[in-house]
Amino acid sequence: MQVTVIGTGYVGLVTAIGLAENGHEVICVDLNAERMEQLTKGIPPITEQGIEEALQANAARMTFTTVYPESDLYLVAVGTPERADGSCDLTAVEAVVAQISRLNPEANVVLKSTVPPGTTERLQQSYPELRFAMVPEFLREGTALADNRAPSRLVIGTRDHMLAERLETLFLTTAPVVQVDPTTAELTKYAANSFLAVKISFINEIARLADAVGADVAEVAHGIGLDPRIGPAFLRAGAGYGGSCFPKDIAALTALAKTYETPLHVIEGADKTNEAQLDYVLQKIRPVKGQRIALLGLAFKPGTDDLRDAPALRLAERLEALGVHITGYDPAAKTLLDQKPTLDEAITGADAAVIMTEWDEMKQLEPERLQRFMRTPRLIDGRNCWAYADRPHGVEYEGIGRYNQTFTNNQIR
């Protein structure tokens, strides 16, 4: 098929590459002319495992332009940012649909953007000649290409059975296909992200209790994760979640629920716990005015340079407000912090280092380097990922819910 993808952010670009890999001709549209020029040269605007190779390998089936073509099938993957009140800003989605209607009033429009339940049905009423579907994405930044190639499921939300069949052929997957109405598909996306956020906040609360009673939250997570009703995924305690999806989607969903007078107590609680978890990490640092703290990892997760709602940046704001000098290091993300080009430079002279993103470089950071470069070899493991945590290492170490025991000077205390 020939398909037009509107928007070349994480979702749009990864989706477009996947469609090209399936043999389709893909026209990618974005109003950012510089981005289109770079993509035409095979240079991706995002950090994502394998994306440059995949982009170049499928260049013959991909066209990048700032001009909307007349097409029969459009995939809309533009941003839906959070408004000040937490609700979802649909300005870009609505503008794209209006433009599509002018070009081809009978086109097929597939929403990949995350939109509040009821949005697709409302657009269908406003543009009755267009044929709409909602196909939510479930991509994880850092592994988005792999997720796109081997999805866990394909959710197609539409009342047009012919369009549903066409989309099954378009996405060409062996994964289970869930065909539902558009509003159910929209809520499925929000429910998935909200549930994962709840799991993270749950284990973080257990981690705080583990610190208090003297238990190891990693072993607790392993023990409960073996229960098939629970599963091990998203049960790693740490500094809390961030990124472009969980915080924004929870805010949008809770804002929508309030308009229907249907409070989401569990989901709202997960959000409050996530914010409190960052304060818990701050308490472990024990910051003092004039200290030098090194933040190791700035992106919200490894494998990406995405800084949206990154816990490291929110922690940096709180530390700076207390008069602490921050140095930072990340192998991919770039910030306005006093960011150093190497990890060793970031920790030089530091009173404490805090792992905020579980890059392999942070996981394998040798104790000897901490002892050599830091003023005080003290490590706060905000991701419970340090490879040396459970062996003698001569570093004052503290994780999240790691039984309040640290190895110092090769002795357990």
Side-chain angles (χ1 to χ4, degrees), residues 42-237:
I43 304 172
I46 57 176
T47 298
E48 185 66 40
Q49 185 176 3
I51 197 165
E52 186 169 0
E53 297 82 356
L55 180 62
Q56 294 171 2
N58 293 280
R61 289 185 293 276
M62 302 182 73
T63 303
F64 299 96
T65 178
T66 58
V67 180
Y68 280 68
E70 184 176 339
S71 181
D72 173 57
L73 180 60
Y74 294 89
L75 268 64
V76 180
V78 295
T80 53
E82 181 182 343
R83 289 196 179 102
D85 63 355
S87 63
C88 191
D89 187 346
L90 296 172
T91 303
V93 170
E94 292 168 346
V96 168
V97 173
Q99 177 69 4
I100 291 172
S101 179
R102 288 189 288 269
L103 288 168
N104 182 0
E106 298 183 349
N108 298 280
V109 181
V110 180
L111 298 185
K112 294 291 288 183
S113 302
T114 300
V115 297
T119 301
T120 305
E121 297 281 29
R122 179 174 58 78
L123 290 170
Q124 182 70 78
Q125 292 173 3
S126 300
Y127 301 92
E129 299 303 317
L130 294 174
R131 291 179 289 276
F132 282 92
M134 171 63 188
V135 180
E137 54 83 18
F138 300 99
L139 306 177
R140 298 168 296 170
E141 289 188 35
T143 58
L145 278 174
D147 292 343
N148 194 64
R149 290 165 178 156
S152 57
R153 73 282 205 194
L154 173 63
V155 177
I156 300 175
T158 184
R159 298 188 183 280
D160 187 316
H161 295 295
M162 291 183 64
L163 178 56
E165 292 179 1
R166 186 176 181 186
L167 292 176
E168 279 199 56
T169 303
L170 178 74
F171 290 108
L172 195 65
T173 180
T174 58
V177 178
V178 181
Q179 290 194 21
V180 292
D181 63 85
T183 301
T184 299
E186 291 160 344
L187 185 55
T188 298
K189 166 64 177 180
Y190 278 100
N193 278 353
S194 297
F195 182 74
L196 295 176
V198 167
K199 285 190 76 173
I200 294 170
S201 286
F202 169 81
I203 201 63
N204 280 337
E205 285 200 335
I206 295 298
R208 293 183 217 164
L209 184 59
D211 273 340
V213 303
D216 184 350
V217 73
E219 296 299 339
V220 172
H222 177 66
I224 65 175
L226 293 173
D227 188 326
R229 297 169 299 176
I230 297 173
F234 287 80
L235 285 180
R236 169 172 281 178

Side-chain angles (χ1 to χ4, degrees), residues 193-194 196-202 204 234 238-243 245-248 250 267-275 277-278 300 308-311 314 383:
N193 278 353
S194 297
L196 295 176
V198 167
K199 285 190 76 173
I200 294 170
S201 286
F202 169 81
N204 280 337
F234 287 80
Y241 57 76
C245 292
F246 288 5
K248 178 178 75 72
I250 286 176
I267 296 172
E268 291 174 3
D271 193 45
K272 291 177 182 177
T273 295
N274 191 59
E275 194 63 23
Q277 192 68 8
L278 207 57
F300 88 95
R308 286 175 287 183
D309 219 342
R314 292 189 285 123
R383 294 299 174 189

Side-chain angles (χ1 to χ4, degrees), residues 1 30 206:
M1 300 182 196
D30 198 297
I206 295 298

